[in-house]
Amino acid sequence: VIEVGAGWTERTLRATREAGLRSGGARRAVVEFLGRQSCCLTAQEIFDGLRADGRRVGIASVYRVLDRLVEMKLVQRVDVGAGIARYEPVLDGEHHHHLVCNDCGRVEAFTDPALEQVIHRVAAGVEYDVGSHEVLLHGACADCR
Amino acid sequence: VIEVGAGWTERTLRATREAGLRSGGARRAVVEFLGRQSCCLTAQEIFDGLRADGRRVGIASVYRVLDRLVEMKLVQRVDVGAGIARYEPVLDGEHHHHLVCNDCGRVEAFTDPALEQVIHRVAAGVEYDVGSHEVLLHGACADCR
DNA sequence: GTCAGTGCAAAGCTTTTGCAGCGCG
DNA sequence: CGCGCTGCAAAAGCTTTGCACTGAC
């Protein structure tokens, strides 16, 4: 079952409530904003988006909310390599990886079932207790090449 | 053919010479230091290592040399996700990926031929002109779990 | 002699922390 | 009504840039 953004928003708000966290305005705003996005965003992009919507949130709160959600495995942090962290919702039944353009910095998603299968086999064979994985393909996007 | 560190050092110094770059002390020191390492290092670790050897290099030079070598595809930059970039020699005939411990930050290498094969197939099927790739497995290492 | 390469210091950016106050439960 | 959540500002990293000077070619 593919869960869409709206489902993630609701599930996330419920999970934080059930974890005994109080619901302030900043967390709700960040969660609702993230739930409307398709791919990974930087903290600054989330901050700017909220400000553009007229929400007076602090960027520190954005980081605090994201940290908490990453900890709860509701958000995945993706480092595409420019020293800037990106964040995206963890959707049930959907899992993708990223193409990164070395020239313009564009990031796009791709999926591949065989790739997932091989990674799970590899993860099962190492000494680490692997909880998540990430595949990055770096290169030139259609526009830049 | 597996090329060892010494081969990389020599090949890299030759490549920079042939690219018309002048050979100052800092680049030579960084290249020779990197050639002696097995896995990825941070710029700070390289800087500290050189200082420990008594080389009076500036950290800015370490970054400048690394940038240049990444550009020439002689060094690969690896972002394991703590906001700190890591760098490692690109060895001919050897290619590995990384296990990252979420608790202690330890980074280890692993290889898997089937994984490489699948990634190359995926890379050939996307719109990007893929030049490099990177697989990160995050979890708890043997000591931390 | 020229100018790329270098070390040091200062600046820039992302991210974290301190703190007072608001407001959820 | 306590204490978690928040915004703001300041601090703390990592990385880059400015600048004068050295040394390779």
Side-chain angles (χ1 to χ4, degrees):
Chain A
V1 179
I2 304 286
E3 186 169 72
V4 292
W8 177 84
T9 302
E10 207 172 293
R11 176 164 62 94
T12 298
L13 290 174
R14 186 178 351 114
T16 53
R17 209 181 312 123
E18 286 170 1
L21 304 181
R22 293 183 185 175
S23 170
R27 181 158 54 231
R28 171 165 230 101
V30 170
V31 170
E32 289 177 349
F33 187 82
L34 265 182
R36 270 183 266 126
Q37 307 305 318
S38 56
C39 197
C40 51
L41 296 174
T42 65
Q44 190 68 48
E45 284 166 354
I46 296 167
F47 175 74
D48 291 344
L50 292 175
R51 287 288 171 132
D53 287 354
R55 316 280 318 221
R56 228 179 80 274
V57 297
I59 193 155
S61 294
V62 173
Y63 278 106
R64 279 184 289 234
V65 169
L66 290 172
D67 276 358
R68 186 57 79 104
L69 296 178
V70 167
E71 201 179 289
M72 297 176 73
K73 293 189 190 298
L74 292 162
V75 161
Q76 185 185 2
R77 180 181 158 146
V78 181
D79 275 270
V80 301
I84 310 170
R86 288 173 168 273
Y87 301 86
E88 67 186 5
V90 173
L91 303 178
D92 276 350
E94 199 270 356
H95 182 66
H96 63 249
H97 294 292
H98 298 96
L99 288 161
V100 183
C101 180
N102 290 332
D103 291 338
C104 68
R106 183 140 61 114
V107 178
E108 283 177 60
F110 73 89
T111 61
D112 189 278
L115 179 57
E116 294 306 313
Q117 210 173 327
V118 171
I119 287 177
H120 282 112
R121 181 181 56 67
V122 172
V126 298
E127 284 198 325
Y128 279 48
D129 187 12
V130 177
S132 67
H133 65 263
E134 192 178 328
V135 179
L136 297 173
L137 301 186
H138 290 272
C141 73
D143 291 350
C144 292
R145 73 180 175 185
Chain B
V1 179
I2 306 285
E3 187 168 69
V4 292
W8 178 83
T9 302
E10 205 173 293
R11 176 164 63 93
T12 299
L13 291 175
R14 187 178 351 115
T16 53
R17 209 180 313 126
E18 286 170 1
L21 304 182
R22 293 182 186 176
S23 170
R27 182 160 54 231
R28 171 164 229 102
V30 170
V31 170
E32 288 177 349
F33 188 81
L34 265 182
R36 271 184 265 125
Q37 308 305 318
S38 57
C39 197
C40 51
L41 297 174
T42 65
Q44 191 67 49
E45 286 165 352
I46 296 167
F47 174 74
D48 291 344
L50 292 175
R51 287 287 170 135
D53 288 355
R55 316 279 319 219
R56 226 178 81 274
V57 298
I59 194 156
S61 294
V62 173
Y63 279 106
R64 280 185 288 233
V65 169
L66 290 172
D67 277 359
R68 185 58 79 104
L69 295 178
V70 168
E71 200 179 290
M72 296 176 75
K73 293 192 189 300
L74 291 163
V75 161
Q76 186 184 2
R77 180 180 159 147
V78 181
D79 277 270
V80 300
I84 311 172
R86 288 173 168 271
Y87 301 86
E88 66 185 6
V90 173
L91 303 178
D92 277 348
E94 199 272 354
H95 183 65
H96 63 249
H97 293 293
H98 297 96
L99 288 161
V100 183
C101 179
N102 290 333
D103 291 337
C104 68
R106 183 139 62 116
V107 178
E108 284 177 60
F110 73 89
T111 60
D112 190 277
L115 179 57
E116 294 306 314
Q117 210 173 327
V118 172
I119 288 176
H120 281 112
R121 182 182 54 67
V122 172
V126 298
E127 284 198 324
Y128 279 48
D129 186 11
V130 176
S132 66
H133 65 263
E134 190 178 329
V135 179
L136 296 173
L137 301 185
H138 290 271
C141 73
D143 291 350
C144 291
R145 74 178 174 187

